[in-house]
Amino acid sequence: MTTTRKKQAEQTKQKILAAAHQIVRNEGIHALSSLKVINQAGVSKGGFFHHFPQIEDLYLYMLDQLVQRLDEDLAPGNFTTLQAFIHATSEYTMQLLENAPESVTTLFYFLSQSHHKPEYRKRLQLMLDSMFEHWSHNISHFFRPDLTAEQRNHITRILDMYFCGFSFHFLLLGDKAGYRKISAQFAEMLADFVHKEESHEK
Amino acid sequence: MTTTRKKQAEQTKQKILAAAHQIVRNEGIHALSSLKVINQAGVSKGGFFHHFPQIEDLYLYMLDQLVQRLDEDLAPGNFTTLQAFIHATSEYTMQLLENAPESVTTLFYFLSQSHHKPEYRKRLQLMLDSMFEHWSHNISHFFRPDLTAEQRNHITRILDMYFCGFSFHFLLLGDKAGYRKISAQFAEMLADFVHKEESHEK
């Protein structure tokens, strides 16, 4: 593929992504279909189905884009403590849910559906496993270097589960002040635990 | 309402609930509609719409039934430590997700949708707030009595967020052995934190 064609392909994908977000935001997840996205994005059928043979491919791409955005906006290297990282992630999540709730609700919808689709579940599993590996590496400077890979991986998963539930609670209940406090407590809890695990290792 | 009529009303609701679960399990959430449930459950239209004027009322009832079941099957009074309670809740959740994933995925779907429906969001908020109050009271024997109501409430919410994320992870990734270990770590973390909070209070 030449550079120009690559660039065009990327532009097509971004148009499709923007259209998908807009449809879900304005009309709800039920309205999302390949044809609707094609019309709204103003791309050709061939272009759409080349990138996304099935609607699930679009969901996976949306998830991938969200993960990449989080990775850039919340690079753990920018924070010196686990508490500061969790605080920033909380604030970021609340802002995202206020401004673009569809970016999260669409994924919840897809995740709850993918259980019935073994092939996509497999791809999603690979994606999540590699994401947890990547993150547990990236947050390793919050811990002592002698923490085992398994311990780091488990802590990363607990963090992810917390923010998964946090998104649900905040989406439904709002209460920024309350959930800000709760995240601070969770951060303290996790930091204490990591510290204790380290002490055990000594 | 006479006792007989109350009993009949309860039977109708249970038939509707069973039909709704079966439809979602076999055909996916998209297939769930009032008319389909009416046919499958073998109840009258009048009977259905009397209990559930809108499909969201059925979702709220499904959530309420799940919460009641959890309350009966996992009464915190049956456990002497927070760790034992979290262990049992993990095992219960994994079994539920293996045997009847639709009881959880349907709710995830509804929760992700309810954001667009202010009236149902309000009812859901009231239901969740009262549920957290009830639970934070029920698990209070795991903590010292001088823990404040706010502290107990926050810990209950952290627990709920964990199991929300836990359900997502397990639904997608399986790995019973891995998530059993992670829950044990989470339980230790939470118990340590509660103990530390108690020490502060002294």
Side-chain angles (χ1 to χ4, degrees), chain A residues 83 86 90 162 179-189:
Chain A
Q83 283 99 323
I86 290 176
S90 282
Y162 175 79
Y179 278 93
R180 193 171 276 147
K181 267 195 203 172
I182 293 172
S183 277
Q185 290 193 307
F186 174 72
E188 196 187 323
M189 180 184 302

Side-chain angles (χ1 to χ4, degrees), chain A residues 20-34:
Chain A
H21 273 278
Q22 209 179 334
I23 291 166
V24 179
R25 190 182 306 180
N26 296 338
E27 304 171 52
I29 187 79
H30 281 110
L32 194 67
S33 70
S34 306

Side-chain angles (χ1 to χ4, degrees), chain A residues 29-30 108-109 113-114 121 125 150 154 157 160 168-169 171-172 179 181 185 188 192 196, chain B residues 29-30 108-109 113-114 121 125 150 154 157 160 168-169 171-172 179 181 185 188 192 196:
Chain A
I29 187 79
H30 281 110
F108 278 144
Y109 171 76
Q113 293 300 292
S114 68
R121 199 176 156 205
Q125 284 174 347
E150 191 190 61
H154 284 180
R157 281 170 201 258
D160 189 73
F168 254 128
H169 277 213
L171 204 57
L172 291 171
Y179 278 93
K181 267 195 203 172
Q185 290 193 307
E188 196 187 323
D192 284 349
K196 184 184 131 185
Chain B
I29 186 80
H30 282 110
F108 278 144
Y109 171 76
Q113 292 300 292
S114 68
R121 199 176 157 208
Q125 285 175 345
E150 191 190 61
H154 286 180
R157 283 171 199 258
D160 188 73
F168 254 127
H169 277 214
L171 205 57
L172 292 170
Y179 279 92
K181 268 196 205 170
Q185 290 192 308
E188 197 187 322
D192 284 350
K196 185 185 132 187

Side-chain angles (χ1 to χ4, degrees), chain B:
Chain B
M1 216 188 250
T2 65
T3 315
T4 318
R5 283 190 60 193
K6 259 192 194 161
K7 219 171 158 182
Q8 281 175 345
E10 192 46 46
Q11 279 175 353
T12 302
K13 284 169 95 171
Q14 289 305 322
K15 275 188 201 167
I16 290 169
L17 188 67
H21 273 280
Q22 210 179 333
I23 291 166
V24 179
R25 190 181 307 181
N26 297 338
E27 304 170 54
I29 186 80
H30 282 110
L32 194 66
S33 69
S34 305
L35 278 184
K36 201 153 197 164
V37 174
I38 288 164
N39 285 332
Q40 177 114 356
V43 298
S44 69
K45 276 192 191 181
F48 181 88
F49 289 113
H50 170 69
H51 292 299
F52 306 111
Q54 295 193 56
I55 195 83
E56 285 84 359
D57 295 297
L58 176 56
Y59 284 129
L60 280 178
Y61 181 66
M62 289 169 85
L63 178 59
D64 184 62
Q65 292 288 299
L66 182 67
V67 169
Q68 276 195 31
R69 239 181 85 187
L70 286 173
D71 227 29
E72 285 164 21
D73 294 345
L74 289 166
N78 298 339
F79 305 96
T80 49
T81 66
L82 187 58
Q83 284 98 323
F85 174 65
I86 290 176
H87 174 74
T89 307
S90 283
E91 296 299 318
Y92 187 88
T93 304
M94 293 195 283
Q95 214 176 1
L96 185 67
L97 288 170
E98 280 180 340
N99 298 334
E102 79 287 350
S103 56
V104 179
T105 55
T106 308
L107 295 173
F108 278 144
Y109 171 76
F110 170 52
L111 298 179
S112 70
Q113 292 300 292
S114 68
H115 189 67
H116 294 284
K117 294 171 182 161
E119 187 208 335
Y120 282 94
R121 199 176 157 208
K122 191 73 217 156
R123 284 171 60 185
L124 202 53
Q125 285 175 345
L126 291 173
M127 193 175 153
L128 288 177
D129 282 336
S130 102
M131 186 183 95
F132 292 138
E133 266 316 295
H134 172 69
W135 280 356
S136 69
H137 175 76
N138 277 7
I139 63 173
S140 63
H141 67 287
F142 296 136
F143 316 137
R144 266 184 33 167
D146 53 3
L147 220 58
T148 67
E150 191 190 61
Q151 285 170 319
R152 288 202 309 265
N153 190 293
H154 286 180
I155 292 165
T156 306
R157 283 171 199 258
I158 289 175
L159 252 176
D160 188 73
M161 288 191 267
Y162 175 80
F163 279 107
C164 202
F166 181 86
S167 299
F168 254 127
H169 277 214
F170 186 69
L171 205 57
L172 292 170
L173 304 170
D175 188 11
K176 218 167 184 164
Y179 279 92
R180 193 171 274 147
K181 268 196 205 170
I182 293 172
S183 277
Q185 290 192 308
F186 174 72
E188 197 187 322
M189 181 184 299
L190 200 61
D192 284 350
F193 185 69
V194 168
H195 176 73
K196 185 185 132 187
E197 290 280 296
E198 287 162 358
S199 311
H200 280 188
E201 298 283 313
K202 276 173 198 165

Side-chain angles (χ1 to χ4, degrees), chain A residues 7-54:
Chain A
K7 218 172 159 183
Q8 280 174 344
E10 193 46 46
Q11 279 175 351
T12 303
K13 284 169 95 172
Q14 289 306 323
K15 273 187 202 166
I16 290 168
L17 189 67
H21 273 278
Q22 209 179 334
I23 291 166
V24 179
R25 190 182 306 180
N26 296 338
E27 304 171 52
I29 187 79
H30 281 110
L32 194 67
S33 70
S34 306
L35 278 185
K36 198 149 198 166
V37 174
I38 289 164
N39 284 333
Q40 177 114 358
V43 299
S44 70
K45 277 192 191 183
F48 181 88
F49 290 111
H50 170 70
H51 293 297
F52 307 110
Q54 294 192 56

